[in-house]
Amino acid sequence: MAGSQFIQAVDLLVGVVVISAGLASMRSGRVAHLMLLVGATWLVGNVFSAAVFLHRGPLVQLHLTYPTGHARRRYVVVVVGAAYVLGIIEVFVPTAALTLSLALLVAATAIDVFVRTTGTARKAGRPALWAALGFSAVLVTSALNQLLAWNIDVPVLLAYDGVVAGAVVVLAADLRWGRWTESTLSDLVADLGRTSDTSGLAGRLQQALGDPGLTVGYWIPERASYVDDQGEPIDLPAPDGGRTATPIDDDGRHVAVLVHDRALLEDPRLVSGVATAARLAMTNAQMLADIRSRVGDLTQSRQRIVEAVGDERARIADELDGGAQRRLARVADILDHAAAADLSGNRHLALVRAEVVRAQDDLTSFVRGVRPLTLVEGGLDAAVRDMAGHFPFHVEVRVDVGRLPDAIEGALLFFCSEAMTNVAKHASASRCRVVITAGPDLIAAVVEDDGIGGADPFGSGLLGLTDRIETMGGRLIVSSPAGGGTRLEARMPRLARERERGRLR
């Protein structure tokens, strides 16, 4: 008799503890309501012994839907429904087999829910997993006690009371001090900080909040509506539905909207924090897009400057070739005629003729330096081969490109010239190889030698090459291990400017 009264007193205490935990967690919304329902049905079972199993339904729902109180997957709804039904059935037909089945079903579902979640959702669900497994363990023990006649009723009942009360207290404490909301927001901000655009924003929010149906809509002023990542319009949910919309505004200006489970509104800090994180992510993406646009404009400006310089060099070369060189040639002819007509053999005419010829040679060299004749007439292949013949080592040349825009040909010839000059000055090489190839969108020029290596990518010579290549929208790749030779590769986009201006040859 005393033992029975003790058990009843413990049961009453458990009910009071559970209800107190629910009242202490009222700010958590639906989870607190489930705790109160567990406590109420527990006390009803304490008064009416036939209803002793009614608390199992809300208790299983609490374990499997923590911390929101909403089932995220259909099979969880089925299991929770089965727990309610079995709790009612056992009021009329108490069976150990049903208890055992429920225990195994709850354990399997709790593990599956935990495994399927990731990130902060998994972190938040860990207390519920242990609570569900503890509840299942005492149910299994209770069922086996009846099926195998172990006769340990009192210890099993006390263990059951302790697990139920302890689980609810742990969950209530986790809601109050576990800071899973702050953890969710901090993980979300860190995750969003690793991306430079808004692609996949909805997926990141779904993962962080455990709401697979969450949708992000972006405000389009021209259409006066929200659209998703694919540009499709988003229908905002009805006010009385299971889902709701949280607008994201910036100084009164529409930015986006979050369409999510209404249960999230039960934690206003979470919704507010998520909206702020999403707004920051969108602002950050917009700023980065603006920076990329400005960098693109700067790159195009540099390319236009290079093209303008190239055009000016070509104009100067043409003017010198058609003006000063022609006049010098005319002066040379006049002097030749004068010398032929002068029977006295005036040495001054010969000296003047020699100076004119020297001026012609100097001017020709200058013109070729401004724009090499071989490049103009024969293209890049002829210009590189002509250049290679002036170096004191064997140069293998393979140029698999046709005529290219003037600016690109000039940049590639400058690259080859500077690279081979560096080989001659510093590499102590016996041979050098130059390969220029072109794909549909990319031109690659490689100069490699068998010298001593150890070239400094940040030296003044290579930095100048890097600047010239980057000006054309390309990049320079340097590989120069000590004792292993040097390999310089210039990669630049093909015809980028010509596609924009329609100047295809």
Side-chain angles (χ1 to χ4, degrees), residues 71 100 122 145 156 171 206 212 304 314 331 368 449:
L100 183 61
R122 174 176 289 190
N145 178 52
V156 169
L171 295 182
Q206 290 171 1
R304 287 193 295 269
V331 171
R368 288 179 178 177
D449 62 67

Side-chain angles (χ1 to χ4, degrees), residues 311-495:
D311 292 342
E312 185 64 17
R313 287 162 64 96
R315 187 189 64 79
I316 292 173
D318 290 341
E319 288 187 1
L320 291 175
D321 187 48
Q325 280 190 314
R326 185 174 298 175
R327 292 188 183 94
L328 286 174
R330 178 62 177 163
V331 171
D333 289 340
I334 292 173
L335 290 174
D336 286 341
H337 289 298
D342 183 15
L343 299 178
S344 64
N346 190 336
R347 294 180 60 252
H348 294 291
L349 288 177
L351 291 175
V352 172
R353 174 71 173 76
E355 290 299 321
V356 169
V357 170
R358 185 176 300 170
Q360 279 185 295
D361 292 340
D362 290 343
L363 188 57
T364 299
S365 298
F366 176 76
V367 170
R368 288 179 178 177
V370 172
R371 183 150 181 82
L373 184 62
T374 52
L375 181 63
V376 175
E377 295 181 349
L380 195 58
D381 187 11
V384 173
R385 292 183 185 278
D386 179 67
M387 181 191 306
H390 294 83
F391 288 95
F393 45 77
H394 174 69
V395 181
E396 178 187 347
V397 177
R398 181 167 67 88
V399 179
D400 296 331
V401 298
R403 295 311 302 262
L404 298 170
D406 294 344
I408 294 181
E409 284 187 341
L412 290 175
L413 186 62
F414 175 82
F415 164 73
C416 294
S417 173
E418 289 297 305
M420 286 191 285
T421 300
N422 286 337
V423 173
K425 289 181 178 179
H426 310 295
S428 301
S430 61
R431 58 180 297 276
C432 180
R433 183 168 178 262
V434 179
V435 178
I436 303 178
T437 57
D441 301 305
L442 187 70
I443 299 172
V446 176
V447 177
E448 54 186 353
D449 62 67
D450 61 353
I452 60 175
D456 182 9
F458 303 102
S460 58
L462 292 184
L463 281 179
L465 274 179
T466 301
D467 289 342
R468 183 65 181 268
I469 297 302
E470 288 182 350
T471 297
M472 299 306 298
R475 66 190 184 105
L476 180 67
I477 302 172
V478 180
S479 175
S480 185
T486 298
R487 185 179 190 275
L488 304 181
E489 180 178 5
R491 297 179 181 178
M492 62 178 62
R494 183 176 187 178
L495 303 178

Side-chain angles (χ1 to χ4, degrees), residues 112-128:
D112 187 70
V113 168
F114 182 77
V115 169
R116 287 176 182 266
T117 56
T118 57
T120 308
R122 174 176 289 190
K123 189 184 303 181
R126 191 174 289 119

Side-chain angles (χ1 to χ4, degrees), residues 54-99:
L54 288 180
H55 67 277
R56 289 183 178 175
L59 186 59
V60 168
Q61 184 177 0
L62 173 64
H63 292 331
L64 298 184
T65 62
Y66 181 87
T68 64
H70 286 270
R72 303 297 184 190
R73 296 176 176 85
R74 291 182 180 179
Y75 66 90
V76 175
V77 176
V78 173
V79 173
V80 170
Y84 277 97
V85 172
L86 290 177
I88 295 173
I89 290 176
E90 290 204 71
V91 170
F92 305 98
V93 187
T95 357
L98 289 178
T99 300

Side-chain angles (χ1 to χ4, degrees), residues 46-381:
N46 192 44
V47 176
F48 304 101
S49 58
V52 70
F53 301 114
L54 288 180
H55 67 277
R56 289 183 178 175
L59 186 59
V60 168
Q61 184 177 0
L62 173 64
H63 292 331
L64 298 184
T65 62
Y66 181 87
T68 64
H70 286 270
R72 303 297 184 190
R73 296 176 176 85
R74 291 182 180 179
Y75 66 90
V76 175
V77 176
V78 173
V79 173
V80 170
Y84 277 97
V85 172
L86 290 177
I88 295 173
I89 290 176
E90 290 204 71
V91 170
F92 305 98
V93 187
T95 357
L98 289 178
T99 300
L100 183 61
S101 299
L102 177 63
L104 297 177
L105 189 61
V106 170
T109 304
I111 293 173
D112 187 70
V113 168
F114 182 77
V115 169
R116 287 176 182 266
T117 56
T118 57
T120 308
R122 174 176 289 190
K123 189 184 303 181
R126 191 174 289 119
L129 172 66
W130 291 115
L133 293 180
F135 173 69
S136 299
V138 293
L139 280 186
V140 169
T141 304
S142 176
L144 293 178
N145 178 52
Q146 296 180 47
L147 292 172
L148 302 178
W150 287 348
N151 296 321
I152 52 172
D153 295 350
V154 173
V156 169
L157 290 174
L158 292 177
Y160 186 84
D161 288 352
V163 166
V164 171
V168 174
V169 169
V170 167
L171 295 182
D174 183 66
L175 285 173
R176 187 173 183 83
W177 295 295
R179 303 181 66 85
W180 71 272
T181 297
E182 289 81 354
S183 178
T184 297
L185 293 176
S186 62
D187 284 0
L188 177 61
V189 170
D191 186 35
L192 294 178
R194 289 191 289 268
T195 183
S196 60
D197 54 37
T198 57
S199 61
L201 176 60
R204 290 180 173 87
L205 296 178
Q206 290 171 1
Q207 181 179 14
L209 301 178
D211 183 0
L214 184 143
T215 303
V216 179
Y218 304 93
W219 178 254
I220 306 297
E222 295 79 7
R223 300 168 60 174
S225 63
Y226 294 100
V227 300
D228 59 17
D229 288 334
Q230 308 302 319
E232 298 296 326
I234 289 180
D235 295 327
L236 300 182
D240 56 349
R243 307 192 69 74
T244 188
T246 297
I248 300 176
D249 297 334
D250 186 12
D251 292 333
R253 179 177 57 89
H254 292 318
V255 176
V257 66
L258 300 180
V259 179
H260 56 84
D261 193 325
R262 185 175 294 275
L264 295 179
L265 291 178
E266 295 171 354
D267 190 340
R269 294 179 303 161
L270 181 61
V271 175
S272 175
V274 168
T276 300
R279 181 170 60 251
L280 290 175
M282 294 174 190
T283 303
N284 182 52
Q286 190 174 31
M287 291 175 59
L288 290 175
D290 184 57
I291 291 173
R292 291 193 189 101
S293 175
R294 293 177 183 271
V295 170
D297 292 342
L298 177 60
T299 300
Q300 292 176 11
S301 175
R302 293 173 69 187
Q303 291 177 358
R304 287 193 295 269
I305 291 173
V306 170
E307 290 180 355
V309 170
D311 292 342
E312 185 64 17
R313 287 162 64 96
R315 187 189 64 79
I316 292 173
D318 290 341
E319 288 187 1
L320 291 175
D321 187 48
Q325 280 190 314
R326 185 174 298 175
R327 292 188 183 94
L328 286 174
R330 178 62 177 163
V331 171
D333 289 340
I334 292 173
L335 290 174
D336 286 341
H337 289 298
D342 183 15
L343 299 178
S344 64
N346 190 336
R347 294 180 60 252
H348 294 291
L349 288 177
L351 291 175
V352 172
R353 174 71 173 76
E355 290 299 321
V356 169
V357 170
R358 185 176 300 170
Q360 279 185 295
D361 292 340
D362 290 343
L363 188 57
T364 299
S365 298
F366 176 76
V367 170
R368 288 179 178 177
V370 172
R371 183 150 181 82
L373 184 62
T374 52
L375 181 63
V376 175
E377 295 181 349
L380 195 58
D381 187 11

